[in-house]
Amino acid sequence: MLSQDNTHSDYLDSILSRHQHNTHNLLQMLREAQEHYGYIHSEAIDYLAQQLQSPRSMIEGVASFYSLLYLQPQGDYRVLFSDNITDRMLGNIDLMESMCGQLWVEVGKVSEDGLVSINTTSCTGMCDQGPAVLINNIAINHLTQDRINSLCELIRERVPLSGWPLEFFAIEDNIYKKDILLDSNFKSGSALAEVLKRSSEETLQEIKTSKLRGRGGAGYLTGSKWEFCRIAVSEQHYVVCNADEGEPGTFKDRVLLNTYADMVFEGMTICAHVINAKKGFIYLRGEYRYLLDHLNAILQRRRQQGLLGNNIFGHANFNFDIEIHLGAGAYICGEESALIESLEGKRGTPRNRPPFPVTSGYLNQPTVVNNVETFCAASLIGLHGGAWYADVGIETSSGTKILSVSGDCARPGLYEYPFGVTVAQVLADCGAKNTQAVQISGPSGICIAANEFERRIAFDDLPTAGAFMVFDESRDMFEVARNFVHFFKHESCGFCTPCRVGTSLLSNMMNKLANGHGSPYDFTEIEKLNVLLLSTSHCGLGHSACNPVLDTIAKFRPAYDKRLTHKEYIPAFDLDYALSQARQMTGRDDTGAHLERIHVSK
Amino acid sequence: MSQNNKTPHNKNQATFILDGKTIPFTEGQTIIQAAMASGEYIPHLCFNPEFKPHGSCKICTVTANGRQAASCTQQTQADMVVESNTKPINDERRALLQMLFVEGNHFCPSCEKSGDCQLQATAYELNMMSPHFDHFSPDRPLDSSHAEYLLDYNRCILCSLCARASSDVDGKNVFSLAGRGIKTHLIVNAKSGKLADTDFTGDDKAAHVCPVGVIIKKRVGFAVPIGKRSFDEHPISATPHPKVRDV
Ligand SMILES: Cc1cc2nc3c(=O)[nH]c(=O)nc-3n(C[C@H](O)[C@H](O)[C@H](O)COP(=O)(O)O)c2cc1C
Ligand code: SF4
Ligand code: SF4
Ligand code: FES
């Protein structure tokens, strides 16, 4: 399907000029360039290198970092099955195998006719309506065997996505419990109108009074963050909204951007007023590409309303605008300094800190990075004041928290609670039965067992970025942990030794246990690995990579014990398993062709 | 801060404590920079005093005021208490070295860099007796396209020193890191992916900074016999960065 003229300038020139030939927009340009052939053509890289006067190895280095960018031809239909544990529990693997069978293609490969490629990808943020796929980066949810059959038919008939039944692309909000945020009936401009009656100092004070803490996971005091940035002396200050939402099981930012975008943008604008920023970015995960046009339309409307642009609300010298940058499949870009690198068009590698973004962020200028939900809360505080907000929730944790509930329950979706709600309450509300475990805050969070369900969602008990994955008694908690470990291995950025190698070692150990080759020795090894990753990793991903395994070993030991067929250590290399390929090739399967016994590995 | 503070050995010089010894430092120095300036050795691989610290290998990890940090990137503070040569820290460093060994393919006896290799020498220094973990045995083809230099990617530890040297000193960008996670790998600046198609030359700084045996000069094979090489004569703790010889 490649044009023979070899002129990539046809489509790249307009992309380059739209992005001002600025390498800071490299990731955006690569993503758009890819839309042309479904992958980034090698000659397109040459052309970009020449036009941007940048080394092609640098461009290749960036493109190869992001899992939704391809340097090799892909199928005309690129199908990616979301592979969170919740998708697994809903049968995604069988559905994927069925699709592979129907379309004559192997997982991870392109079909011989170039029609389709099928693979798995990290959680796409649709856990409340899985199993989910992305086809050419567009989300399709609620997969059933019937729906898979229809998709195969459409692909085989080469029907363009624009001609597919609209209901396939439906994405629900699934809000089941609203509190001050989700029930606010927010009117665009209402918070800014209040804020602009006060000085920026007073607004900062309101944020501090509210005791708002970041909703993205780390729980840093928003008022302090804004203040550090505000007092950092510099020409430019930046506001960045972290909409990378890559933590498996988290999907509340998706809903906030879909239905509450005005609150997000207004919160960013309030922040801009406080820190004196002229420019803001939303870093939107590539998996949420479908939200781009919708969000741009709202930004445009806000410009027309005088809520963005120059002289906002008629205030001379209050100039601020927001640009959306898309990610391209990298969980690590949710880490704020990696996010900033990515915003600058680079590989998403976390920076050495200090300095922190508040003094040296985007283009080394003072930058506030906050989560989507944090900015929504800032809008509420702008509207109602800090004291009003601080009144909600509990002493250590003011306000509300939106939980993304998924897994074994009757009503997966969003639940907003004042901080302090017990896990048991949430389980009752979402209709969970016979619950064995809840994974709070995703793989990097904590796994709790039934005897802990009276614990509370709060910064001093169970802090969370929002994920709340429910597992009933039928689930194998070992496989839950194995899925999470695989996630970390896939998403490690590879910068530092402990996490780059350690996540692979851990994943190998879990596979070894799964294949029945584990021994108690391996538990000691895992614990040692955990200590090493905790103390030497460069960022939070490495620090938390062992959590799922340690938690489940501590709390669901039988799931591991039943896999321990050996009391003594045995090496992971298994000669008999290695021989299985030879057996397959020679068609032999007699006892003489086996070393010990049949293996149950996958 | 007065000018005097910047003169070494001044009584008012700011100092910190490294394993019980008082070490002077100047504003802006990282722990390893200050330590090396005083002749103290902290194991390291991706750090090279001539380049901006990278902070990726984590071999230089120490505890600074009780918190673990990479000493090549951690800024020194007055009266900071730093522990480096302790059993728990050396155990961790050894584990990180073992990770680097199993991640690539390191057949030291047949490596031209043997005896001059910082990875190997650091492993000796830290008494690493075995690789401990299972080998990954990755498939990393050699690049022998260049007339004078060979790239043996099997030994790459992804320290990015060659990339930093090429961009910061040579102004060339011959090398870059590509891929992600365990698939991170080194690439060269050519569509063919071959060193011969880049503007790399033996005069580049990048040709002489690899701490291991990836960037190897051709046809000088074992000119210095094993047994007479830098780290055969002195342990790495005595001469962390021996004079570069063309290997
Ligand atoms: C590996 C990793 C992934 C992260 N992913 C996200 C994310 O997807 N969204 C987010 O808001 N914060 C994420 N964070 C936290 C951010 O680094 C940062 O603390 C946060 O965006 C700050 O916003 P807040 O103060 O409003 O929470 C992540 C952190 C780490 C270490
Ligand atoms: S801990 Fe992992 S994700 Fe973080 S910098 Fe190191 S390799 Fe990258
Ligand atoms: S080739 Fe050598 S200098 Fe370059 S990254 Fe690899 S190990 Fe480091
Ligand atoms: S020497 Fe400090 S991290 Fe490599």
Side-chain angles (χ1 to χ4, degrees):
Chain A
M1 61 179 266
L2 259 188
S3 64
Q4 292 304 310
D5 57 13
N6 281 341
T7 75
H8 291 268
S9 58
D10 290 356
Y11 63 100
L12 290 177
D13 282 343
S14 62
I15 295 175
L16 280 158
S17 65
R18 197 160 50 250
H19 293 287
Q20 299 101 40
H21 286 68
N22 185 341
T23 47
H24 295 136
N25 296 323
L26 179 60
L27 176 56
Q28 306 309 304
M29 293 189 258
L30 287 169
R31 195 184 50 72
E32 289 174 26
Q34 168 162 294
E35 286 179 4
H36 207 74
Y37 289 123
Y39 78 105
I40 302 164
H41 197 275
S42 172
E43 275 154 25
I45 296 186
D46 279 338
Y47 190 73
L48 288 172
Q50 178 210 331
Q51 292 293 313
L52 297 170
Q53 295 171 0
S54 300
R56 78 163 277 138
S57 55
M58 182 274 277
I59 299 179
E60 234 179 294
V62 171
S64 58
F65 185 87
Y66 296 92
S67 64
L68 296 180
L69 296 181
Y70 307 97
L71 294 169
Q72 299 299 325
Q74 300 295 304
D76 294 347
Y77 296 87
R78 305 188 302 277
V79 184
L80 291 173
F81 280 81
S82 175
D83 200 21
N84 187 22
I85 185 69
T86 52
D87 297 288
R88 289 243 164 170
M89 284 154 44
L90 294 164
N92 69 333
I93 296 298
D94 287 347
L95 295 172
M96 181 170 71
E97 280 170 3
S98 159
M99 190 178 230
C100 287
Q102 294 188 47
L103 295 172
W104 290 88
V105 58
E106 276 177 62
V107 177
K109 301 245 167 82
V110 184
S111 61
E112 274 173 29
D113 54 2
L115 176 67
V116 59
S117 43
I118 300 180
N119 212 335
T120 56
T121 191
S122 297
C123 177
T124 59
M126 300 288 171
C127 319
D128 55 331
Q129 44 206 300
V133 280
L134 291 175
I135 300 188
N136 296 355
N137 280 356
I138 301 298
I140 299 180
N141 302 332
H142 286 305
L143 293 182
T144 56
Q145 187 61 54
D146 277 352
R147 191 162 269 198
I148 286 285
N149 298 346
S150 317
L151 293 180
C152 290
E153 189 66 31
L154 289 164
I155 291 173
R156 234 184 275 113
E157 301 291 323
R158 292 182 182 266
V159 180
L161 260 79
S162 54
W164 291 15
L166 276 180
E167 78 241 30
F168 284 8
F169 305 111
I171 294 168
E172 300 144 6
D173 278 354
N174 292 329
I175 299 172
Y176 288 103
K177 193 172 175 310
K178 296 181 174 185
D179 207 294
I180 54 170
L181 200 165
L182 296 176
D183 210 15
S184 62
N185 280 318
F186 186 80
K187 301 273 177 308
S188 64
S190 60
L192 266 177
E194 286 303 311
V195 163
L196 291 173
K197 289 178 194 159
R198 305 187 280 255
S199 68
S200 59
E201 277 100 332
E202 285 166 324
T203 302
L204 176 62
Q205 191 50 53
E206 293 299 329
I207 299 287
K208 287 167 119 182
T209 306
S210 75
K211 296 198 226 153
L212 173 64
R213 294 171 68 170
R215 302 305 194 228
Y220 198 81
L221 279 167
T222 308
S224 308
K225 187 182 273 188
W226 290 17
E227 184 165 37
F228 278 125
C229 188
R230 174 189 164 89
I231 60 179
V233 183
S234 190
E235 278 289 294
Q236 297 292 337
H237 292 67
Y238 293 95
V239 180
V240 174
C241 173
N242 188 342
D244 197 48
E245 192 158 68
E247 188 74 44
T250 319
F251 47 87
K252 46 128 191 141
D253 296 342
R254 179 197 89 210
V255 177
L256 291 175
L257 291 166
N258 189 42
T259 308
Y260 298 81
D262 269 303
M263 286 181 92
V264 184
F265 296 145
E266 197 138 331
M268 291 175 72
T269 314
I270 294 170
C271 177
H273 188 238
V274 170
I275 67 167
N276 190 21
K278 302 212 165 13
K279 173 128 199 190
F281 291 98
I282 296 215
Y283 188 90
L284 182 68
R285 72 184 304 213
E287 291 81 349
Y288 293 170
R289 162 74 179 76
Y290 75 96
L291 286 169
L292 185 63
D293 296 341
H294 159 75
L295 292 173
N296 272 324
I298 295 179
L299 286 176
Q300 194 50 32
R301 186 215 343 110
R302 289 182 68 87
R303 284 180 199 116
Q304 280 154 9
Q305 289 175 312
L307 301 174
L308 281 177
N310 288 341
N311 303 331
I312 291 174
F313 248 109
H315 277 243
N317 295 328
F318 183 17
N319 308 328
F320 178 68
D321 212 328
I322 297 174
E323 193 181 309
I324 303 175
H325 269 225
L326 271 170
Y331 163 67
I332 191 58
C333 290
E335 194 283 331
E336 57 187 10
S337 67
L339 183 151
I340 289 168
E341 289 282 295
S342 183
L343 266 186
E344 293 180 2
K346 304 183 198 151
R347 294 162 60 79
T349 303
R351 292 178 174 175
N352 287 311
R353 283 143 298 153
F356 292 95
V358 282
T359 56
S360 180
Y362 182 67
L363 306 180
N364 298 324
Q365 304 301 305
T367 303
V368 160
V369 182
N370 274 135
N371 176 255
V372 173
E373 188 181 348
T374 312
F375 283 121
C376 289
S379 282
L380 286 184
I381 296 162
L383 187 59
H384 301 291
W388 171 85
Y389 193 83
D391 241 20
V392 182
I394 56 174
E395 180 60 27
T396 57
S397 317
S398 67
T400 60
K401 182 74 196 105
I402 304 176
L403 301 176
S404 320
V405 177
S406 64
D408 295 312
C409 66
R411 292 172 295 280
L414 291 204
Y415 293 75
E416 184 189 10
Y417 293 97
F419 271 106
V421 65
T422 63
V423 171
Q425 181 67 52
V426 182
L427 288 171
D429 291 348
C430 70
K433 295 218 171 62
N434 304 323
T435 305
Q436 174 184 200
V438 181
Q439 184 76 26
I440 308 274
S441 206
S444 68
I446 166 174
C447 183
I448 60 167
N451 61 355
E452 300 171 274
F453 290 169
E454 285 308 314
R455 292 180 65 178
R456 293 171 185 280
I457 302 295
F459 287 102
D460 59 347
D461 190 354
L462 293 171
T464 177
F468 190 104
M469 289 185 269
V470 183
F471 304 98
D472 73 19
E473 283 161 356
S474 72
R475 303 300 176 182
D476 181 347
M477 294 310 291
F478 171 83
E479 286 300 343
V480 173
R482 189 155 81 115
N483 176 270
F484 292 166
V485 164
H486 181 81
F487 166 78
F488 284 127
K489 171 188 157 183
H490 183 67
E491 297 297 341
S492 164
C493 84
F495 174 75
C496 70
T497 311
C499 169
R500 181 181 70 242
V501 184
T503 51
S504 278
L505 288 170
L506 188 64
S507 167
N508 292 348
M509 283 179 200
M510 292 298 276
N511 290 344
K512 180 180 170 187
L513 286 165
N515 291 342
H517 294 294
S519 70
Y521 172 87
D522 293 297
F523 291 170
T524 330
E525 282 293 287
I526 290 169
E527 265 156 39
K528 275 204 253 169
L529 208 53
N530 176 50
V531 174
L532 186 67
L533 264 69
L534 265 177
S535 56
T536 60
S537 292
H538 185 66
C539 85
L541 191 154
H543 295 150
S544 48
C546 296
N547 287 359
V549 184
L550 290 178
D551 278 354
T552 47
I553 290 179
K555 297 172 187 178
F556 304 98
R557 182 64 187 249
Y560 286 79
D561 283 340
K562 74 174 191 217
R563 292 179 162 88
L564 292 182
T565 44
H566 301 266
K567 293 233 165 51
E568 304 295 328
Y569 169 75
I570 58 165
F573 178 73
D574 175 357
L575 186 56
D576 188 62
Y577 180 61
L579 280 175
S580 64
Q581 284 167 354
R583 282 196 295 270
Q584 213 174 13
M585 275 155 60
T586 54
R588 276 184 67 179
D589 203 22
D590 51 296
T591 34
H594 285 272
L595 274 177
E596 29 170 319
R597 65 196 163 78
I598 309 291
H599 287 272
V600 282
S601 65
K602 219 178 186 183
Chain B
M1 198 178 269
S2 82
Q3 276 300 92
N4 283 348
N5 278 355
K6 292 197 173 144
T7 332
H9 310 304
N10 183 300
K11 275 192 193 124
N12 299 325
Q13 167 106 44
T15 60
F16 71 104
I17 308 291
L18 173 65
D19 289 332
K21 288 189 202 160
T22 303
I23 310 282
F25 73 94
T26 52
E27 177 89 33
Q29 271 185 323
T30 64
I31 294 173
I32 207 170
Q33 286 168 339
M36 285 176 79
S38 289
E40 296 297 325
Y41 171 70
I42 298 176
H44 59 272
L45 288 173
C46 71
F47 176 73
N48 179 319
E50 293 180 55
F51 299 95
K52 218 173 93 201
H54 193 235
S56 60
C57 76
K58 304 296 180 194
I59 299 291
C60 70
T61 296
V62 295
T63 58
N65 288 341
R67 284 194 52 216
Q68 280 188 284
S71 62
C72 67
T73 52
Q74 177 70 48
Q75 297 280 320
T76 316
Q77 287 160 21
D79 303 324
M80 198 176 222
V81 177
V82 177
E83 294 195 317
S84 171
N85 194 12
T86 69
K87 182 172 184 310
I89 293 174
N90 284 331
D91 285 351
E92 293 197 338
R93 290 176 179 149
R94 201 177 308 111
L96 293 173
L97 286 171
Q98 287 164 327
M99 286 181 168
L100 289 172
F101 270 98
V102 301
E103 181 189 23
N105 299 308
H106 297 270
F107 306 109
C108 297
S110 67
C111 176
E112 174 56 37
K113 197 75 181 271
S114 188
D116 286 319
C117 167
Q118 290 181 42
L119 179 67
Q120 182 192 43
T122 310
Y124 277 124
E125 180 74 27
L126 293 170
N127 295 317
M128 190 191 115
M129 307 305 276
S130 77
H132 184 81
F133 304 113
D134 293 315
H135 283 280
F136 291 9
S137 307
D139 184 19
R140 299 185 186 170
L142 309 188
D143 176 356
S144 53
S145 62
H146 195 274
E148 290 170 57
Y149 278 83
L150 170 79
L151 294 182
D152 188 342
Y153 292 114
N154 286 298
R155 305 159 184 159
C156 182
I157 56 169
L158 307 169
C159 70
S160 98
L161 272 169
C162 56
R164 282 178 276 163
S166 187
S167 68
D168 301 356
V169 180
D170 307 326
K172 283 191 177 178
N173 298 299
V174 172
F175 300 99
S176 289
L177 291 181
R180 183 174 85 198
I182 197 64
K183 292 185 184 149
T184 306
H185 59 281
L186 193 69
I187 58 169
V188 297
N189 190 23
K191 191 174 179 185
S192 64
K194 296 291 181 203
L195 190 63
D197 296 327
T198 69
D199 50 357
F200 175 85
T201 74
D203 296 332
D204 289 357
K205 184 73 180 170
H208 308 283
V209 293
C210 182
V212 293
V214 180
I215 306 173
I216 297 283
K217 182 146 202 235
K218 287 181 170 174
R219 288 181 293 275
V220 291
F222 294 87
V224 179
I226 289 187
K228 293 270 184 237
R229 298 180 171 197
S230 313
F231 302 124
D232 299 333
E233 292 171 348
H234 306 283
I236 191 165
S237 51
T239 49
H241 296 271
K243 213 172 137 339
V244 178
R245 106 170 102 230
D246 245 329
V247 291

